[in-house]
Amino acid sequence: TRAPQSIVGIPVERRVAALYMIHATQWGESQSSIPDGTTIGHYRVVYADGSDGLIPIVYGEDVRDWWTSGVEKPVTRGKMVWTWYTARTKPDDVCLCLYLCIWHNPHPQKTVTAVDYVSTMTTAAPFCVAMTAREATPR
């Protein structure tokens, strides 16, 4: 089955100082060799006043393929934060991994109503496992 191009309207409904996303991509290395620097998607932060902001998902900067042998270059902006060997991956000395993205809100005084998740539909298929927010402190 084909993954959707976007998931729209993930509710937030609060003022946030930062968003934390745990994510990765599949088919980045093994199937198509996506070049570093390729934008494979973005998060769109929607504010209550109608404005928005984009958080790009860039291959090689934020994420790499979630199947890794450990010889790939590290990401330059995100951080690998989870690895796991399975019965399927261990014989090939390959593990699964996920990456952390931390976005510091340039407008913490504004209420974030929602986040949209959008793929650019390259051969890489980005996915988000978890997202949480650190609330902005009251003024």
Side-chain angles (χ1 to χ4, degrees), residues 53-126:
L54 295 182
I55 306 166
I57 305 168
V58 179
Y59 193 82
E61 294 178 20
D62 303 299
V63 296
R64 290 197 179 279
D65 196 290
W66 75 313
W67 283 60
T68 182
S69 62
V71 297
E72 295 84 7
K73 295 185 290 186
V75 293
T76 58
R77 183 170 47 203
K79 179 180 179 183
M80 186 187 297
V81 292
W82 180 86
T83 58
W84 186 259
Y85 285 95
T86 70
R88 186 171 173 207
T89 64
K90 187 78 169 163
D92 295 324
D93 199 29
V94 171
C95 69
L96 304 177
C97 62
L98 297 173
Y99 298 87
L100 172 66
C101 169
I102 302 173
W103 174 74
H104 298 280
N105 187 357
H107 308 288
Q109 74 284 1
K110 292 183 180 184
T111 297
V112 175
T113 57
V115 173
D116 300 338
Y117 187 71
V118 181
S119 169
T120 58
M121 302 305 283
T122 65
T123 53

Side-chain angles (χ1 to χ4, degrees), residues 35-46:
D36 284 3
T38 301
T39 300
I40 61 171
H42 65 266
Y43 298 89
R44 178 176 169 253
V45 178
V46 182

